[in-house]
Amino acid sequence: MRNFFMAAAGGVFLAFAVISQAVEATVTPKLGSDFSNFYSITDLGSIEQIPPAYGGITFQPGEPNTLLISGLADTPDAGIYAVEVSRESNNHITGFGIPSFLTQAPGISTGGIDAGLAYSPKADVLFYTSYPDNSIGQIKPGSSSPNKQIDLNTLGFAASTGALNFVPEGFAGAGRLKITSYTSNIFYDTTITPDSSGTYDIATPTRSVQLDGGLDGFFYVKAGNPGFFEDSLVIEEYDNSSVSAYTIDGNGDAIANSRRNFITGLGFHSPTSLTGVMGATIDPVTGDFIFSTFYEGDPSASKIYAVTRGTKSTSVPEPQGVTLLVSMFVLSLGLLRDKIKN
């Protein structure tokens, strides 16, 4: 997903090349034609106190105003933070409070939390995916580091994973664990069973679906929501800077030929930078769709977006060119990590 680059020599030249492209590029996410009459996209900005870039996101069970979000995604220093959301009169999210550190989320040998962050069906263990080591970590309540880590390579999952989620109640395949391979664009089906330590074992995958686009975070949407006529899966495509919608089969898996564009343009590509969607979850209060982005040209510009019912899009103020220039110059000196997702 991400390779570190930018040596000290020539760093300043590269930084200004990236600055030029980043300033000129305009990230303008657009809803697909099947959904544009029903939804709007709100740019909620960044949470400054969480170290970029963002990875997986989810809400804490029983605490619908507490968002869990990962920082320093894909690095050994990755962590998960808890932050209170602020809401307007209709309960849509408008901003964020001061986050608190919850737990470390490293990979087994390298890397760290990627796009997947979800609680088990019993809400007793927090699961996360890790890139590029192709693993899953499990964290019990009160722990400040993973209690169990599983190497997915040993179970036959293609390297390296992107995200995971459990099929919610009310959907076909409820309770089953779904895992995406970002690198191979495979949507896997498996199950979990309790072990003797309060965590879970993961079974060898029994089914898989070949999709496309660099698969990352995903969630399920019930039929009857605007634009969704059947139970569906909304899944991020990092490499395409987009989000797609699939109808699901009787096992809760995506039907490959049912793909529709849900959001396009949620990021941009250039020779030195790539922006894409990473985390995905549903607001338990409003049903809004929440996405996090990983902005590699300038990780501090990683953002959170909400998709709500209605057609009036809003946003927070965009950084001015000078601010972006300074942040990119600092990046060139090696004080920030620049990551490219291949």
Side-chain angles (χ1 to χ4, degrees), residues 7-209:
V12 173
F13 174 82
L14 177 58
F16 279 96
V18 174
I19 290 165
S20 176
Q21 292 163 347
V23 171
E24 292 176 2
T26 301
V27 180
T28 307
K30 295 181 180 180
L31 288 153
S33 58
D34 289 348
F35 304 98
S36 58
N37 290 332
F38 308 118
Y39 298 93
S40 62
I41 302 173
T42 300
D43 178 351
L44 295 174
S46 304
I47 306 174
E48 294 181 1
Q49 298 86 353
I50 295 179
Y54 302 152
I57 55 176
T58 192
F59 283 85
Q60 194 160 324
E63 298 186 27
N65 290 320
T66 301
L67 179 70
L68 304 186
I69 180 169
S70 52
L72 292 177
D74 297 347
T75 75
D77 297 324
I80 300 170
Y81 298 78
V83 59
E84 293 298 306
V85 301
S86 56
R87 299 180 183 273
E88 40 93 284
S89 59
N90 292 319
N91 285 323
H92 299 293
I93 295 173
T94 57
F96 307 95
I98 304 299
S100 59
F101 180 79
L102 187 67
T103 177
Q104 298 173 345
I108 292 177
S109 57
T110 185
I113 186 171
D114 194 56
L117 185 63
Y119 280 91
S120 61
K122 293 183 177 181
D124 56 348
V125 174
L126 182 61
F127 283 67
Y128 70 88
T129 52
S130 176
Y131 180 94
D133 60 312
N134 199 33
S135 72
I136 285 179
Q138 301 179 42
I139 303 167
K140 296 191 291 187
S143 297
S144 58
S145 61
N147 301 101
K148 183 172 184 173
Q149 291 175 284
I150 296 176
D151 183 349
L152 293 178
N153 296 291
T154 64
L155 297 177
F157 291 86
S160 179
T161 183
L164 62 81
N165 211 340
F166 292 91
V167 183
E169 289 295 328
F171 290 85
R176 301 187 71 84
L177 174 61
K178 307 297 183 177
I179 300 173
T180 60
S181 171
Y182 160 75
T183 308
S184 300
N185 289 305
I186 300 174
F187 187 84
Y188 287 104
D189 168 73
T190 187
T191 58
I192 59 172
T193 54
D195 61 17
S196 60
S197 302
T199 49
Y200 292 88
D201 293 325
I202 298 175
T204 299
T206 56
R207 294 183 59 181
S208 64
V209 181

Side-chain angles (χ1 to χ4, degrees), residues 167-175 220-223 230-233 248-250 252:
V167 183
E169 289 295 328
F171 290 85
Y220 287 83
V221 179
K222 285 298 294 182
E230 301 178 62
D231 286 354
S232 299
L233 180 77
I248 60 172
D249 62 18

